[in-house]
Amino acid sequence: MSDLMNADNWLYIAALTTVMLGGTTIIVTLTNRSTTSAIHGLRGEVGGQIDSLRGDLGGKIDKLQGEVNGLRGEMSARFEAVDARFEAVNTRIDNLDRDVQALVKHTFGIDRG
C-alpha cells in the first residue's frame, strides 16, 4: 500500500478537518454574537439620543411658544395704547372742527341771522 492510502493518514486528515470545521464554526458563532450585541448596544444608544433630542426640542418649542405669546400680549397692549391715542386725536380734531365752524359763522355773521 502506498503511503497516501494508509489508514492512519486518513485518520489524521479527518481529525484535522473536524478541528478546522469546529474552529470555523466557533469563530462564526462568536462573530455573529458579537455583531448582534454591538448592534443592540448601538440601537439603545441611538434610541437614547433620539429621546434626549425630543426632550430638548420639546422644551425649546415650549419656550419659543411662551415668548411668542408674551410678544403677542405686548403688541396687543401697545396697539390698544395707540388706538386710545388716535381716539383722543380724533376727539380733538372733532372739537377743533366745531370751534372753527363757530368762528367762521361768527366772523361772517352767519350766526346773527
Side-chain angles (χ1 to χ4, degrees):
M1 242 194 227
S2 76
D3 287 335
L4 190 58
M5 298 300 275
N6 192 353
D8 289 339
N9 289 340
W10 285 108
L11 181 64
Y12 293 139
I13 291 172
L16 182 62
T17 303
T18 302
V19 169
M20 288 175 48
L21 286 175
T24 303
T25 302
I26 289 172
I27 289 172
V28 168
T29 302
L30 290 176
T31 302
N32 189 17
R33 286 183 183 177
S34 174
T35 304
T36 302
S37 69
I39 289 172
H40 285 300
L42 182 62
R43 190 177 286 166
E45 268 186 58
V46 169
Q49 291 292 328
I50 288 173
D51 290 342
S52 173
L53 287 173
R54 280 184 185 153
D56 289 346
L57 186 60
K60 289 184 180 190
I61 287 174
D62 290 341
K63 180 182 175 186
L64 182 61
Q65 284 177 341
E67 289 179 8
V68 167
N69 289 336
L71 286 174
R72 280 186 184 152
E74 186 178 333
M75 287 174 54
S76 294
R78 288 183 184 232
F79 278 128
E80 288 174 7
V82 168
D83 286 343
R85 287 182 181 173
F86 275 131
E87 190 61 38
V89 169
N90 283 338
T91 303
R92 287 182 183 173
I93 289 174
D94 290 341
N95 291 340
L96 182 63
D97 185 42
R98 182 194 66 216
D99 294 343
V100 169
Q101 284 180 5
L103 286 173
V104 168
K105 286 180 184 179
H106 183 70
T107 303
F108 292 112
I110 297 173
D111 60 345
R112 295 181 206 149

